């Protein structure tokens, strides 16, 4: 069973830019991403929006596949800055790893 954390996006503020809620999941970032792996980074942003921290931690290895090419940030119509969101998620995962 998946536990959702309603205020997870606020918790993410301590790791970096808090623009995940600006995203409306149009899929532009996933369409331009050279990884083309299961809708990355769209999927990770959606996990933040719904508060699925456990899912992010389960799929943390995907975060390190990001090339940080900036294409997702350049094409985002809502200026949600997906690249910075991915960096924030990496910081969160590392912090969680250090705490455990």
């Amino acid at each position: 069973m998946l536990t959702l954390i309603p205020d997870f996006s606020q918790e993410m503020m301590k790791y970096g830019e808090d623009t995940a809620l600006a995203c409306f999941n149009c899929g532009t970032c996933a369409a331009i991403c050279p990884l083309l792996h299961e809708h990355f980074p769209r999927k990770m942003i959606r996990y933040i929006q719904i508060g699925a921290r456990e899912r992010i931690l389960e799929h943390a290895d995907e975060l390190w596949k990001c090339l940080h090419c900036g294409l997702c940030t350049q094409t985002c119509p809502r200026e949600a800055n997906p690249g910075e969101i991915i960096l924030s998620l990496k910081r969160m995962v590392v912090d969680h790893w250090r705490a455990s």
Side-chain angles (χ1 to χ4, degrees), residues 22-69:
C23 172
F24 59 85
N25 261 323
C26 67
T28 304
C29 60
I32 197 76
C33 182
L35 291 178
L36 295 173
H37 180 69
E38 296 183 14
H39 304 286
F40 182 87
R42 181 183 187 192
K43 177 176 70 172
M44 292 296 185
I45 294 170
R46 188 67 182 146
Y47 288 156
I48 294 171
Q49 291 173 336
I50 64 172
R53 181 195 302 135
E54 292 175 29
R55 283 287 157 87
I56 293 167
L57 295 173
E58 286 173 15
H59 301 282
D61 60 322
E62 292 180 23
L63 297 171
W64 274 265
K65 294 177 184 176
C66 177
L67 303 171
H68 295 289
C69 62

Side-chain angles (χ1 to χ4, degrees), residues 4 20-21 44 55 59 70 76 81-82 84 88 90 100:
L4 300 179
L21 295 181
M44 292 296 185
R55 283 287 157 87
H59 301 282
C76 180
N81 201 350
E84 183 59 33
S88 299
K90 286 181 176 184
S100 60

